[in-house]
Amino acid sequence: MFTTLNETHLHKALKTLYKEEYGGDFEVETEGFVADILCPDGTAIEIQTGNLGHLEKKIKHFITHRKNIRIIYPLVISKYIETENETTGKKTKRKSPVRKTQLSIFKELTKLTPYLLSRYFFLDIVEVVITETRTDSGFLMQSKNNQRRFKKTWNKTGKKLEEIKSRFTLHGKKSWKKLIPENLPKKFCVKDLLKEFKKADRKISEQEVRLMVWCYLKMELIKFIKTEKRIKFYSASVN
């Protein structure tokens, strides 16, 4: 039996949703790994609210053994922060300015590029609104995972799913190519991509575009052409 004591509301809610849709059982050991859901057809479903790169070993194993694996990634497009004072019990809530878009996923995918186009790999992006809960002790502390560069007075205690805005699946070349703007010139650079995304009112940083280009080069969905005046140019792969 596998513990789910540290499972967040977000993780549990998505796990319940996908079990209702695909059937199967929770927390099943298969192929030497534990799947959040093991479907009747043998597909392993994994809900990942953290870094997708942490799943590399599991994804590689399933694909190598020709087993389907479906990764569910909640993309937080809007977030509220609810903080409880440990001393008084008083709660405050505010909206976070941090927002992600579909193109924010590429910083999560750099370790996974060898597997993204596999016929056995499915990536479900679930755009969600969440509330992140915190407790404030009033004194500076390190985070529970000791990852903080600077100590803060609060720690995260959970993530609550408020709403699902949309869902889409990335599986196979066609689905990944749809993320590339249609009106790109045949020869383009990072600035051209950024310009087209902004035209389409897609909020994305130059760094996110560069990560997308890097991933697509590794996936051979675009190819490098040449460098002109220190600017690299690419073209979309015809394959």
Side-chain angles (χ1 to χ4, degrees):
M1 182 176 180
F2 301 94
T3 181
T4 56
L5 290 176
N6 295 323
E7 187 174 39
T8 65
H9 176 272
L10 172 62
H11 189 279
K12 186 176 181 179
L14 290 176
K15 197 164 70 170
T16 300
L17 172 65
Y18 274 83
K19 184 178 184 298
E20 289 174 353
E21 292 186 356
Y22 288 89
D25 298 299
F26 289 139
E27 306 297 333
V28 178
E29 185 171 8
T30 177
E31 301 287 327
F33 293 89
V34 178
D36 281 334
I37 303 168
L38 185 64
C39 302
D41 67 356
T43 296
I45 294 180
E46 189 73 21
I47 317 294
Q48 182 65 352
T49 59
N51 191 303
L52 290 175
H54 294 161
L55 297 177
E56 180 186 12
K57 188 178 292 186
K58 182 180 288 189
I59 291 169
K60 180 180 180 180
H61 177 87
F62 276 87
I63 289 175
T64 301
H65 290 78
R66 299 183 180 182
K67 301 282 187 179
N68 288 341
I69 182 164
R70 181 178 292 272
I71 307 301
I72 316 302
Y73 181 69
L75 184 69
V76 180
I77 60 172
S78 185
K79 180 171 74 173
Y80 295 87
I81 298 173
E82 184 178 87
T83 305
E84 181 179 6
N85 186 292
E86 283 188 345
T87 303
T88 65
K90 182 180 178 180
K91 293 182 180 180
T92 59
K93 193 171 184 177
R94 64 180 175 86
K95 189 171 184 178
S96 169
V98 177
R99 290 190 63 186
K100 294 183 179 180
T101 70
Q102 293 177 359
L103 301 170
S104 302
I105 62 171
F106 288 99
K107 71 176 182 178
E108 301 284 340
L109 300 177
T110 54
K111 286 186 177 181
L112 303 181
T113 52
Y115 320 108
L116 298 180
L117 296 182
S118 168
R119 60 181 292 188
Y120 304 105
F121 180 82
F122 300 78
L123 177 60
D124 284 13
I125 307 297
V126 186
E127 295 184 330
V128 297
V129 178
I130 71 165
T131 294
E132 178 182 286
T133 55
R134 301 174 177 178
T135 56
D136 192 329
S137 65
F139 57 88
L140 294 174
M141 68 180 82
Q142 181 55 270
S143 61
K144 293 179 180 178
N145 59 7
N146 294 315
Q147 294 296 309
R148 281 181 178 160
R149 185 176 178 183
F150 302 104
K151 293 182 178 180
K152 301 180 184 296
T153 62
W154 53 265
N155 267 327
K156 297 177 184 179
T157 55
K159 296 176 183 178
K160 181 181 178 183
L161 176 65
E162 300 290 355
E163 184 181 357
I164 292 176
K165 289 291 189 179
S166 67
R167 291 192 278 170
F168 63 98
T169 301
L170 291 166
H171 175 66
K173 285 185 178 181
K174 287 184 179 179
S175 64
W176 290 95
K177 284 185 175 182
K178 284 181 179 179
L179 298 180
I180 301 175
E182 293 182 358
N183 297 323
L184 270 179
K186 289 185 178 180
K187 183 182 75 173
F188 61 88
C189 63
V190 167
K191 297 287 187 183
D192 293 323
L193 261 174
L194 189 60
K195 181 179 178 181
E196 290 302 320
F197 283 130
K198 287 185 176 180
K199 278 184 182 179
D201 199 28
R202 303 280 291 278
K203 294 182 179 180
I204 182 173
S205 68
E206 183 173 331
Q207 177 61 18
E208 287 174 323
V209 173
R210 291 188 182 279
L211 284 169
M212 179 183 183
V213 167
W214 189 90
C215 289
Y216 274 38
L217 281 170
K218 293 292 183 180
M219 296 162 69
E220 298 183 353
L221 294 178
I222 64 173
K223 60 182 180 180
F224 170 74
I225 300 176
K226 60 181 177 179
T227 300
E228 293 181 1
K229 296 180 181 179
R230 300 176 67 179
I231 298 175
K232 293 182 178 180
F233 285 90
Y234 311 90
S235 68
S237 172
V238 297
N239 295 328

